[in-house]
Amino acid sequence: MFAHKHRYLFIVLLAVYTYLNTVLCEVYKYFHIEIEWYVAFGTIMAITLLTWESSRLLEPRFKKIFHIREFKISTLAMFFIAGSILTTIITVGIVFFVSMVLHHYTVSESFIPLKLNLIYAWLANLLFHLLNAIKFYFTEYKTKWMEAEELKRISAQAELQLVKSQINPHFLFNNLNVLSALIMKNNNEANKFIEEFSKVYRYILTTHDKELVDIKTELNFIKPYIFLLGKRFAEGLEIVVDVPEAYEKFYVIPASLQMLIENAIKHNVVSKNKPLHIDVHVNGNNTIVVKNNLQLRESVDNSTKVGLNNIIKRYWLFSGQKVEVKNDNEAFTVTLPLLTLN
């Protein structure tokens, strides 16, 4: 604090304030001190300036000798005591110079001015060191807070990268099986499938390190993904996507819609006799909903729910917002917040 760039302005203002108070309180008249106003003001200014500057010059040496970060209170206390000693020496020197050299007063006549100036100098020194201690502890608090926030951010990023890396390998395996069958039946269909398949994986590769994507980009990715699912399940799966253009300015976690659709397929029977209906639409409260009818597989109880937990964790880690999950025994609904960049 003592090296603050505006320290001289503060010193001048304090000296002026102190001198005006001595005049208003008629200190010089009450204690019968004969002194010119400019000498009185100059004395106060000199004491204020040298009290501050002595601590400023002393501070680097204290920091070098003592480990202030380890012994905060004791170091600040010793710094204050050292500053008080220097302040006393400086004040005595200034007062005796003004009183005995400039005005030829005796030692006894100089005693009262010395006492008054020492009281002011000690109070000024106490004020300076209190401000310094407040600044020191505030800086310590701010540093610790920033370190804690940085640690939280790094931990969150590490966890985010971990959950983002949990891509279901069954998606790749199942689509390769479909591709194999198409190659044997129809080359044109196989070529179209490969083209859409490449779009899906191109999206996954280009967004794996992104935290957010806009709705328009996510929907452009969903279209080829739905095409792949259509080839795999044919009439057993119906997916309806209804997202107006007005909502394309919002953002979602990358591949979150794809993972929710995949999650619905994973946990439910998908067949021509029992078709699975998945509805993707936007609510008026700036949320996007993925809803499917329930026709659970027998092995659903053994599910680890990695896909859904992945989405919930990613939303919470990045935005602090919760994903709403609802199961009413007739339909399974997941509601994702639509995010903005601010």
Side-chain angles (χ1 to χ4, degrees):
M1 184 204 77
F2 288 103
H4 196 278
K5 62 181 180 179
H6 298 306
R7 60 185 182 275
Y8 296 123
L9 175 61
F10 177 75
I11 290 168
V12 171
L13 291 176
L14 180 61
V16 171
Y17 174 78
T18 303
Y19 174 72
L20 290 176
N21 276 273
T22 61
V23 172
L24 291 173
C25 295
E26 298 184 338
V27 171
Y28 306 105
K29 181 179 179 181
Y30 182 81
F31 288 100
H32 307 290
I33 300 173
E34 297 292 334
I35 191 172
E36 300 84 356
W37 73 266
Y38 52 86
V39 177
F41 174 70
T43 301
I44 294 173
M45 174 67 75
I47 291 173
T48 308
L49 175 64
L50 293 176
T51 297
W52 182 290
E53 288 298 290
S54 62
S55 292
R56 182 178 69 84
L57 296 173
L58 195 63
E59 187 176 29
R61 290 165 175 78
F62 258 80
K63 288 182 178 180
K64 187 176 181 180
I65 298 172
F66 300 99
H67 300 287
I68 192 168
R69 303 293 173 186
E70 299 176 10
F71 310 104
K72 300 179 179 67
I73 296 177
S74 58
T75 303
L76 289 172
M78 287 188 291
F79 183 31
F80 168 69
I81 293 171
S84 299
I85 293 171
L86 280 176
T87 296
T88 302
I89 296 171
I90 290 168
T91 303
V92 170
I94 292 174
V95 170
F96 276 114
F97 174 79
V98 172
S99 180
M100 299 180 69
V101 176
L102 295 183
H103 293 86
H104 306 290
Y105 293 153
T106 63
V107 174
S108 59
E109 290 175 327
S110 304
F111 181 72
I112 291 178
L114 175 63
K115 185 170 65 174
L116 293 174
N117 281 283
L118 277 175
I119 292 172
Y120 166 69
W122 288 336
L123 289 175
N125 183 65
L126 176 62
L127 172 64
F128 298 158
H129 281 266
L130 284 175
L131 292 175
N132 180 62
I134 291 170
K135 182 180 182 299
F136 172 79
Y137 278 104
F138 177 76
T139 304
E140 280 283 290
Y141 167 77
K142 186 177 179 181
T143 302
K144 295 294 183 184
W145 180 81
M146 291 177 67
E147 288 175 352
E149 288 297 310
E150 180 68 10
L151 183 60
K152 284 168 60 178
R153 186 186 66 82
I154 292 172
S155 299
Q157 282 188 339
E159 190 173 354
L160 185 60
Q161 286 299 116
L162 178 64
V163 296
K164 284 169 72 175
S165 65
Q166 297 172 346
I167 297 175
N168 190 351
H170 293 293
F171 172 73
L172 178 60
F173 177 77
N174 291 332
N175 281 285
L176 288 177
N177 283 340
V178 174
L179 177 59
S180 177
L182 286 174
I183 289 174
M184 296 178 65
K185 294 179 181 178
N186 188 325
N187 284 336
N188 290 331
E189 284 291 311
N191 289 334
K192 177 65 174 175
F193 189 90
I194 291 173
E195 183 181 337
E196 299 302 300
F197 188 55
S198 66
K199 290 180 183 178
V200 171
Y201 260 85
R202 187 183 303 115
Y203 178 82
I204 293 174
L205 291 173
T206 56
T207 61
H208 80 282
D209 59 343
K210 293 183 179 180
E211 293 165 329
L212 291 177
V213 293
D214 57 82
I215 287 288
K216 183 177 181 180
T217 303
E218 181 77 359
L219 293 179
N220 287 338
F221 155 66
I222 288 296
K223 292 175 183 177
Y225 178 68
I226 292 174
F227 173 84
L228 299 181
L229 294 176
K231 291 300 177 182
R232 179 180 165 195
F233 296 105
E235 297 177 6
L237 179 66
E238 180 186 3
I239 301 176
V240 177
V241 179
D242 182 18
V243 179
E245 290 185 8
Y247 289 91
E248 291 181 353
K249 63 182 179 180
F250 291 98
Y251 291 77
V252 292
I253 298 296
S256 54
L257 298 180
Q258 175 260 325
M259 292 182 72
L260 289 177
I261 294 172
E262 182 181 353
N263 190 65
I265 294 170
K266 177 182 176 182
H267 291 83
N268 292 276
V269 174
V270 184
S271 66
K272 185 177 181 179
N273 295 329
K274 297 184 71 175
L276 180 67
H277 301 280
I278 301 176
D279 179 43
V280 181
H281 65 274
V282 171
N283 273 345
N285 56 351
N286 290 341
T287 57
I288 189 165
V289 177
V290 180
K291 181 178 180 181
N292 64 272
N293 58 313
L294 280 177
Q295 40 197 38
L296 297 174
R297 298 175 185 266
E298 293 181 1
S299 60
V300 69
D301 293 335
N302 298 323
S303 171
T304 59
K305 298 182 180 179
V306 171
L308 184 57
N309 288 333
N310 184 302
I311 296 170
I312 293 172
K313 281 186 178 181
R314 288 168 68 185
Y315 259 95
W316 178 252
L317 289 171
F318 180 74
S319 67
Q321 298 195 43
K322 293 183 178 180
V323 173
E324 183 182 334
V325 180
K326 183 179 179 181
N327 185 345
D328 60 7
N329 295 322
E330 293 184 2
F332 187 80
T333 307
V334 179
T335 303
L336 303 178
L338 289 175
L339 306 175
T340 56
L341 290 183
N342 61 348

